Structures are given as C-alpha cells and as structure tokens.
Amino acid sequence: MLSFFKTLSTKRSGWFLLLFSALVLEGIALYFQHGMGLQPCVMCIYERVAILGIAFAGLFGLLYPNSMILRLIALILGLGSAIKGLMISLTHLDFQLYLAPWKQCSAFAEFPETLPLDKWFPYLFQPYGSCSEISWQFLGFSMVQWLVVIFSFYTLLLALLFISQIKRLKPKQRMLFH
C-alpha cells in the first residue's frame, strides 16, 4: 500500500488531481457566495485559505515531483493546511452546533499585517456572514460538516503520502531480451 502512495507522489497526475480538487472546492465556494448569495463568515474565509494552501501544495508538487525535497515541502505544506483546515472547521462546527453567547467568531478577518488578503482581494476574502448561521444543507449535513469530511480526507491522504516517503521503490529494470 505504501508503494502505491509513494508512486502516486512521484507522478504529476497525483499532484494535478490534488490541485484540481482544491480549485474545484474554491470554485464551489465562490459560486455559493456570488452565485447563490450566501455570505461567508470569518471561519469560512479561513477555511478557504486552508483549501488554497492545499492547492498551492498541489501546484508545488506538480512542478517537479521526482525531487524528494520539493515533494516533502509540498507534502508538509499540504498536510499543514489540511490539519489547520480541519481544526478550523471543527471549531466552526462547534459554533454552529452549540450556540452560546460566549462562542462568537470575530466580525473581521484577522490576517497578518504583511498579508492582508481581505484588503487585497475583498471579492474573495471579505467576511459578511455569521459563523453560527446554517444557510445551506445537502443530504442533511451543513456546509461546515461537509468541510470536516473534506479536510479529514485531505489530512488522511496527505499523511499517507507523507508516511509513504520512507518506502524505497525498486528501481525499474530494463528487459533487453524478453
């Protein structure tokens, strides 16, 4: 099983699939915001940034997947983003499921001063909604519950890919007379 994941991490197709899936999720989030009129909250914006981190990991791994150092950097970036996204979405789910006056999210995004994404790209990163509001459901699950599933999948996948890097692949042998 580890050899499968190691082989997957050395091919561009695996990294492209990671990049493509993250970009599709970003596109869906933008459709919900601008197409359906659902207003994102601060936690939604942070979850978007985590998905973008996974997309950057896919792009970084896509550049040169045969380099062990670049592959490890891409895996660390992707795994860190997936874990952070999972933690944020679990906190967001806690805000939605267990309403309390002391469980409130900020009304403003708190990005670092050196990277104010909400000021640079307000179309993408400006929060307008409330974290405790459930405005969309599919199959009985809210958007945040789906994000918990998505980030859990990404975390598991990227952790397996990271662990598989210790596996040594057999060198391909050329068959001259066969």
Side-chain angles (χ1 to χ4, degrees):
M1 180 172 96
L2 285 180
S3 356
F4 169 75
F5 285 109
K6 173 75 179 252
T7 305
L8 184 66
S9 72
T10 60
K11 298 196 182 297
R12 289 186 195 273
S13 58
W15 293 105
F16 176 75
L17 191 59
L18 182 68
L19 172 65
F20 181 73
S21 67
L23 290 179
V24 165
L25 289 173
E26 287 293 334
I28 290 170
L30 290 174
Y31 172 73
F32 281 147
Q33 179 180 356
H34 299 291
M36 294 176 60
L38 302 178
Q39 299 301 319
C41 65
V42 171
M43 300 299 257
C44 297
I45 298 298
Y46 294 156
E47 290 157 351
R48 277 188 197 175
V49 173
I51 292 287
L52 277 178
I54 294 170
F56 278 121
L59 180 64
F60 203 69
L62 188 64
L63 293 176
Y64 191 66
N66 289 329
S67 169
M68 179 68 136
I69 293 177
L70 289 178
R71 198 168 57 236
L72 284 176
I73 291 171
L75 285 170
I76 289 169
L77 174 65
L79 186 59
S81 296
I83 290 171
K84 186 65 175 177
L86 180 61
M87 292 184 336
I88 290 170
S89 60
L90 286 172
T91 303
H92 192 179
L93 185 63
D94 184 48
F95 287 159
Q96 284 188 350
L97 294 180
Y98 306 108
L99 299 174
W102 57 87
K103 288 185 180 179
Q104 299 288 326
C105 63
S106 174
F108 305 102
E110 298 171 5
F111 289 112
E113 289 181 19
T114 56
L115 192 66
L117 294 176
D118 56 332
K119 307 273 188 292
W120 291 348
F121 306 105
Y123 184 77
L124 298 173
F125 299 111
Q126 187 67 43
Y128 299 106
S130 169
C131 290
S132 58
E133 180 183 339
I134 299 175
S135 55
W136 179 87
Q137 287 188 336
F138 179 67
L139 298 176
F141 295 108
S142 71
M143 191 179 305
V144 177
Q145 290 170 323
W146 283 109
L147 281 173
V148 169
V149 171
I150 289 167
F151 280 122
S152 298
F153 174 76
Y154 275 133
T155 301
L156 179 65
L157 174 70
L158 290 164
L160 283 172
L161 286 170
F162 187 75
I163 291 169
S164 74
Q165 299 308 303
I166 61 170
K167 181 74 175 167
R168 207 172 178 94
L169 293 177
K170 293 179 184 173
K172 294 181 180 179
Q173 296 179 354
R174 294 176 48 188
M175 303 297 272
L176 293 177
F177 301 108
H178 194 259

mmCIF file of all heavy atoms in Angstrom, residues 75-107:
data_model
loop_
_atom_site.group_PDB
_atom_site.id
_atom_site.type_symbol
_atom_site.label_atom_id
_atom_site.label_comp_id
_atom_site.label_asym_id
_atom_site.label_seq_id
_atom_site.Cartn_x
_atom_site.Cartn_y
_atom_site.Cartn_z
ATOM 1 N N LEU A 75 4.333 18.205 0.518
ATOM 2 C CA LEU A 75 3.549 17.380 1.441
ATOM 3 C C LEU A 75 3.390 18.055 2.800
ATOM 4 O O LEU A 75 2.312 18.007 3.402
ATOM 5 C CB LEU A 75 4.189 16.003 1.596
ATOM 6 C CG LEU A 75 3.996 15.067 0.418
ATOM 7 C CD1 LEU A 75 4.872 13.832 0.550
ATOM 8 C CD2 LEU A 75 2.531 14.672 0.288
ATOM 9 N N ILE A 76 4.449 18.690 3.283
ATOM 10 C CA ILE A 76 4.357 19.394 4.572
ATOM 11 C C ILE A 76 3.394 20.574 4.467
ATOM 12 O O ILE A 76 2.565 20.789 5.361
ATOM 13 C CB ILE A 76 5.759 19.836 5.043
ATOM 14 C CG1 ILE A 76 6.573 18.606 5.462
ATOM 15 C CG2 ILE A 76 5.676 20.832 6.182
ATOM 16 C CD1 ILE A 76 8.041 18.877 5.698
ATOM 17 N N LEU A 77 3.488 21.320 3.375
ATOM 18 C CA LEU A 77 2.561 22.445 3.166
ATOM 19 C C LEU A 77 1.119 21.954 3.074
ATOM 20 O O LEU A 77 0.221 22.512 3.713
ATOM 21 C CB LEU A 77 2.946 23.211 1.896
ATOM 22 C CG LEU A 77 2.004 24.327 1.449
ATOM 23 C CD1 LEU A 77 1.992 25.441 2.473
ATOM 24 C CD2 LEU A 77 2.419 24.850 0.089
ATOM 25 N N GLY A 78 0.876 20.909 2.295
ATOM 26 C CA GLY A 78 -0.476 20.380 2.149
ATOM 27 C C GLY A 78 -1.017 19.780 3.425
ATOM 28 O O GLY A 78 -2.172 20.016 3.799
ATOM 29 N N LEU A 79 -0.170 18.999 4.119
ATOM 30 C CA LEU A 79 -0.622 18.374 5.364
ATOM 31 C C LEU A 79 -0.878 19.421 6.437
ATOM 32 O O LEU A 79 -1.880 19.341 7.168
ATOM 33 C CB LEU A 79 0.410 17.349 5.834
ATOM 34 C CG LEU A 79 0.039 16.503 7.045
ATOM 35 C CD1 LEU A 79 -1.232 15.714 6.790
ATOM 36 C CD2 LEU A 79 1.180 15.563 7.402
ATOM 37 N N GLY A 80 -0.017 20.427 6.515
ATOM 38 C CA GLY A 80 -0.241 21.510 7.482
ATOM 39 C C GLY A 80 -1.528 22.265 7.192
ATOM 40 O O GLY A 80 -2.295 22.580 8.110
ATOM 41 N N SER A 81 -1.783 22.539 5.919
ATOM 42 C CA SER A 81 -3.021 23.237 5.551
ATOM 43 C C SER A 81 -4.248 22.382 5.832
ATOM 44 O O SER A 81 -5.273 22.889 6.290
ATOM 45 C CB SER A 81 -2.986 23.614 4.070
ATOM 46 O OG SER A 81 -1.966 24.521 3.816
ATOM 47 N N ALA A 82 -4.151 21.089 5.551
ATOM 48 C CA ALA A 82 -5.290 20.192 5.792
ATOM 49 C C ALA A 82 -5.585 20.068 7.289
ATOM 50 O O ALA A 82 -6.754 20.103 7.698
ATOM 51 C CB ALA A 82 -5.013 18.814 5.189
ATOM 52 N N ILE A 83 -4.549 19.949 8.102
ATOM 53 C CA ILE A 83 -4.758 19.849 9.558
ATOM 54 C C ILE A 83 -5.321 21.150 10.100
ATOM 55 O O ILE A 83 -6.267 21.145 10.904
ATOM 56 C CB ILE A 83 -3.441 19.460 10.260
ATOM 57 C CG1 ILE A 83 -3.076 18.012 9.926
ATOM 58 C CG2 ILE A 83 -3.548 19.643 11.765
ATOM 59 C CD1 ILE A 83 -1.699 17.595 10.376
ATOM 60 N N LYS A 84 -4.759 22.278 9.665
ATOM 61 C CA LYS A 84 -5.273 23.578 10.117
ATOM 62 C C LYS A 84 -6.719 23.780 9.671
ATOM 63 O O LYS A 84 -7.557 24.255 10.437
ATOM 64 C CB LYS A 84 -4.378 24.701 9.574
ATOM 65 C CG LYS A 84 -4.725 26.059 10.097
ATOM 66 C CD LYS A 84 -4.486 26.152 11.584
ATOM 67 C CE LYS A 84 -4.738 27.571 12.058
ATOM 68 N NZ LYS A 84 -4.585 27.699 13.494
ATOM 69 N N GLY A 85 -7.030 23.402 8.430
ATOM 70 C CA GLY A 85 -8.400 23.496 7.945
ATOM 71 C C GLY A 85 -9.349 22.613 8.735
ATOM 72 O O GLY A 85 -10.484 23.006 9.029
ATOM 73 N N LEU A 86 -8.888 21.414 9.111
ATOM 74 C CA LEU A 86 -9.720 20.517 9.918
ATOM 75 C C LEU A 86 -9.973 21.115 11.295
ATOM 76 O O LEU A 86 -11.105 21.091 11.793
ATOM 77 C CB LEU A 86 -9.056 19.146 10.036
ATOM 78 C CG LEU A 86 -9.790 18.093 10.852
ATOM 79 C CD1 LEU A 86 -11.166 17.803 10.246
ATOM 80 C CD2 LEU A 86 -8.971 16.819 10.942
ATOM 81 N N MET A 87 -8.944 21.705 11.894
ATOM 82 C CA MET A 87 -9.131 22.319 13.214
ATOM 83 C C MET A 87 -10.085 23.513 13.136
ATOM 84 O O MET A 87 -10.948 23.683 13.997
ATOM 85 C CB MET A 87 -7.778 22.739 13.796
ATOM 86 C CG MET A 87 -6.899 21.572 14.156
ATOM 87 S SD MET A 87 -5.312 21.910 14.961
ATOM 88 C CE MET A 87 -4.887 23.542 14.521
ATOM 89 N N ILE A 88 -9.944 24.324 12.098
ATOM 90 C CA ILE A 88 -10.830 25.479 11.930
ATOM 91 C C ILE A 88 -12.263 25.023 11.696
ATOM 92 O O ILE A 88 -13.205 25.570 12.276
ATOM 93 C CB ILE A 88 -10.337 26.373 10.774
ATOM 94 C CG1 ILE A 88 -9.039 27.066 11.160
ATOM 95 C CG2 ILE A 88 -11.386 27.415 10.400
ATOM 96 C CD1 ILE A 88 -8.353 27.764 10.006
ATOM 97 N N SER A 89 -12.447 24.017 10.843
ATOM 98 C CA SER A 89 -13.813 23.564 10.554
ATOM 99 C C SER A 89 -14.450 22.887 11.771
ATOM 100 O O SER A 89 -15.663 22.998 11.961
ATOM 101 C CB SER A 89 -13.839 22.644 9.329
ATOM 102 O OG SER A 89 -13.046 21.515 9.528
ATOM 103 N N LEU A 90 -13.660 22.226 12.603
ATOM 104 C CA LEU A 90 -14.221 21.655 13.837
ATOM 105 C C LEU A 90 -14.642 22.752 14.812
ATOM 106 O O LEU A 90 -15.691 22.641 15.470
ATOM 107 C CB LEU A 90 -13.210 20.701 14.489
ATOM 108 C CG LEU A 90 -13.024 19.366 13.792
ATOM 109 C CD1 LEU A 90 -11.866 18.592 14.410
ATOM 110 C CD2 LEU A 90 -14.300 18.539 13.836
ATOM 111 N N THR A 91 -13.851 23.814 14.899
ATOM 112 C CA THR A 91 -14.239 24.956 15.733
ATOM 113 C C THR A 91 -15.496 25.623 15.174
ATOM 114 O O THR A 91 -16.406 25.983 15.927
ATOM 115 C CB THR A 91 -13.086 25.979 15.797
ATOM 116 O OG1 THR A 91 -11.920 25.328 16.283
ATOM 117 C CG2 THR A 91 -13.435 27.151 16.689
ATOM 118 N N HIS A 92 -15.540 25.766 13.867
ATOM 119 C CA HIS A 92 -16.715 26.348 13.207
ATOM 120 C C HIS A 92 -17.954 25.494 13.460
ATOM 121 O O HIS A 92 -19.043 26.011 13.724
ATOM 122 C CB HIS A 92 -16.424 26.475 11.721
ATOM 123 C CG HIS A 92 -17.410 27.295 10.969
ATOM 124 N ND1 HIS A 92 -17.292 27.529 9.636
ATOM 125 C CD2 HIS A 92 -18.561 27.943 11.329
ATOM 126 C CE1 HIS A 92 -18.291 28.277 9.222
ATOM 127 N NE2 HIS A 92 -19.080 28.529 10.235
ATOM 128 N N LEU A 93 -17.804 24.188 13.399
ATOM 129 C CA LEU A 93 -18.914 23.277 13.674
ATOM 130 C C LEU A 93 -19.377 23.416 15.115
ATOM 131 O O LEU A 93 -20.582 23.376 15.399
ATOM 132 C CB LEU A 93 -18.495 21.837 13.364
ATOM 133 C CG LEU A 93 -19.567 20.769 13.494
ATOM 134 C CD1 LEU A 93 -20.693 21.028 12.498
ATOM 135 C CD2 LEU A 93 -18.964 19.392 13.266
ATOM 136 N N ASP A 94 -18.439 23.621 16.026
ATOM 137 C CA ASP A 94 -18.792 23.836 17.428
ATOM 138 C C ASP A 94 -19.617 25.115 17.587
ATOM 139 O O ASP A 94 -20.587 25.143 18.348
ATOM 140 C CB ASP A 94 -17.510 23.915 18.266
ATOM 141 C CG ASP A 94 -17.789 24.036 19.740
ATOM 142 O OD1 ASP A 94 -18.620 23.253 20.260
ATOM 143 O OD2 ASP A 94 -17.188 24.918 20.395
ATOM 144 N N PHE A 95 -19.258 26.163 16.846
ATOM 145 C CA PHE A 95 -20.039 27.405 16.882
ATOM 146 C C PHE A 95 -21.463 27.176 16.386
ATOM 147 O O PHE A 95 -22.403 27.766 16.885
ATOM 148 C CB PHE A 95 -19.393 28.489 16.016
ATOM 149 C CG PHE A 95 -18.151 29.101 16.579
ATOM 150 C CD1 PHE A 95 -17.260 29.749 15.746
ATOM 151 C CD2 PHE A 95 -17.862 29.050 17.931
ATOM 152 C CE1 PHE A 95 -16.107 30.329 16.241
ATOM 153 C CE2 PHE A 95 -16.713 29.617 18.447
ATOM 154 C CZ PHE A 95 -15.833 30.261 17.601
ATOM 155 N N GLN A 96 -21.625 26.310 15.380
ATOM 156 C CA GLN A 96 -22.948 26.076 14.807
ATOM 157 C C GLN A 96 -23.807 25.144 15.647
ATOM 158 O O GLN A 96 -25.006 25.362 15.787
ATOM 159 C CB GLN A 96 -22.818 25.500 13.404
ATOM 160 C CG GLN A 96 -22.443 26.505 12.366
ATOM 161 C CD GLN A 96 -22.505 25.949 10.964
ATOM 162 O OE1 GLN A 96 -22.661 24.742 10.762
ATOM 163 N NE2 GLN A 96 -22.375 26.826 9.989
ATOM 164 N N LEU A 97 -23.205 24.107 16.199
ATOM 165 C CA LEU A 97 -24.000 23.101 16.900
ATOM 166 C C LEU A 97 -24.325 23.485 18.335
ATOM 167 O O LEU A 97 -25.382 23.129 18.851
ATOM 168 C CB LEU A 97 -23.283 21.755 16.882
ATOM 169 C CG LEU A 97 -23.136 21.098 15.511
ATOM 170 C CD1 LEU A 97 -22.412 19.765 15.641
ATOM 171 C CD2 LEU A 97 -24.486 20.901 14.855
ATOM 172 N N TYR A 98 -23.430 24.175 19.006
ATOM 173 C CA TYR A 98 -23.610 24.500 20.415
ATOM 174 C C TYR A 98 -23.608 26.016 20.580
ATOM 175 O O TYR A 98 -22.600 26.620 20.918
ATOM 176 C CB TYR A 98 -22.500 23.852 21.253
ATOM 177 C CG TYR A 98 -22.393 22.370 21.008
ATOM 178 C CD1 TYR A 98 -21.326 21.839 20.303
ATOM 179 C CD2 TYR A 98 -23.389 21.506 21.447
ATOM 180 C CE1 TYR A 98 -21.232 20.487 20.052
ATOM 181 C CE2 TYR A 98 -23.307 20.151 21.198
ATOM 182 C CZ TYR A 98 -22.228 19.639 20.507
ATOM 183 O OH TYR A 98 -22.149 18.304 20.259
ATOM 184 N N LEU A 99 -24.766 26.615 20.320
ATOM 185 C CA LEU A 99 -24.892 28.066 20.389
ATOM 186 C C LEU A 99 -24.767 28.543 21.825
ATOM 187 O O LEU A 99 -25.372 27.981 22.741
ATOM 188 C CB LEU A 99 -26.238 28.505 19.814
ATOM 189 C CG LEU A 99 -26.487 28.164 18.348
ATOM 190 C CD1 LEU A 99 -27.908 28.516 17.963
ATOM 191 C CD2 LEU A 99 -25.500 28.890 17.479
ATOM 192 N N ALA A 100 -23.975 29.564 22.022
ATOM 193 C CA ALA A 100 -23.803 30.185 23.332
ATOM 194 C C ALA A 100 -23.323 31.612 23.107
ATOM 195 O O ALA A 100 -22.640 31.887 22.120
ATOM 196 C CB ALA A 100 -22.792 29.398 24.169
ATOM 197 N N PRO A 101 -23.656 32.513 24.023
ATOM 198 C CA PRO A 101 -23.238 33.910 23.831
ATOM 199 C C PRO A 101 -21.724 34.090 23.863
ATOM 200 O O PRO A 101 -21.197 35.023 23.274
ATOM 201 C CB PRO A 101 -23.892 34.662 24.990
ATOM 202 C CG PRO A 101 -24.702 33.695 25.752
ATOM 203 C CD PRO A 101 -24.501 32.339 25.182
ATOM 204 N N TRP A 102 -21.008 33.223 24.556
ATOM 205 C CA TRP A 102 -19.552 33.372 24.636
ATOM 206 C C TRP A 102 -18.833 32.702 23.465
ATOM 207 O O TRP A 102 -17.634 32.843 23.308
ATOM 208 C CB TRP A 102 -19.018 32.817 25.954
ATOM 209 C CG TRP A 102 -19.369 31.384 26.172
ATOM 210 C CD1 TRP A 102 -18.667 30.297 25.735
ATOM 211 C CD2 TRP A 102 -20.497 30.868 26.842
ATOM 212 N NE1 TRP A 102 -19.297 29.140 26.089
ATOM 213 C CE2 TRP A 102 -20.428 29.461 26.789
ATOM 214 C CE3 TRP A 102 -21.578 31.443 27.510
ATOM 215 C CZ2 TRP A 102 -21.385 28.637 27.346
ATOM 216 C CZ3 TRP A 102 -22.523 30.609 28.076
ATOM 217 C CH2 TRP A 102 -22.422 29.223 27.988
ATOM 218 N N LYS A 103 -19.574 31.980 22.633
ATOM 219 C CA LYS A 103 -18.991 31.349 21.447
ATOM 220 C C LYS A 103 -19.342 32.183 20.223
ATOM 221 O O LYS A 103 -20.317 31.940 19.539
ATOM 222 C CB LYS A 103 -19.537 29.929 21.267
ATOM 223 C CG LYS A 103 -19.022 28.937 22.250
ATOM 224 C CD LYS A 103 -19.540 27.569 21.892
ATOM 225 C CE LYS A 103 -19.051 26.540 22.864
ATOM 226 N NZ LYS A 103 -19.552 25.213 22.555
ATOM 227 N N GLN A 104 -18.561 33.181 19.993
ATOM 228 C CA GLN A 104 -18.779 34.069 18.858
ATOM 229 C C GLN A 104 -17.482 34.169 18.067
ATOM 230 O O GLN A 104 -16.406 34.197 18.640
ATOM 231 C CB GLN A 104 -19.175 35.469 19.340
ATOM 232 C CG GLN A 104 -20.445 35.515 20.143
ATOM 233 C CD GLN A 104 -21.670 35.301 19.286
ATOM 234 O OE1 GLN A 104 -21.700 35.715 18.148
ATOM 235 N NE2 GLN A 104 -22.671 34.654 19.839
ATOM 236 N N CYS A 105 -17.622 34.247 16.758
ATOM 237 C CA CYS A 105 -16.429 34.491 15.948
ATOM 238 C C CYS A 105 -16.341 35.981 15.661
ATOM 239 O O CYS A 105 -17.313 36.710 15.780
ATOM 240 C CB CYS A 105 -16.463 33.679 14.662
ATOM 241 S SG CYS A 105 -17.801 34.094 13.549
ATOM 242 N N SER A 106 -15.181 36.404 15.282
ATOM 243 C CA SER A 106 -14.940 37.815 15.000
ATOM 244 C C SER A 106 -15.730 38.241 13.759
ATOM 245 O O SER A 106 -16.043 37.431 12.895
ATOM 246 C CB SER A 106 -13.442 38.034 14.777
ATOM 247 O OG SER A 106 -13.196 39.338 14.364
ATOM 248 N N ALA A 107 -16.015 39.517 13.674
ATOM 249 C CA ALA A 107 -16.713 40.042 12.501
ATOM 250 C C ALA A 107 -15.733 40.425 11.392
ATOM 251 O O ALA A 107 -16.137 40.654 10.266
ATOM 252 C CB ALA A 107 -17.542 41.260 12.899
#
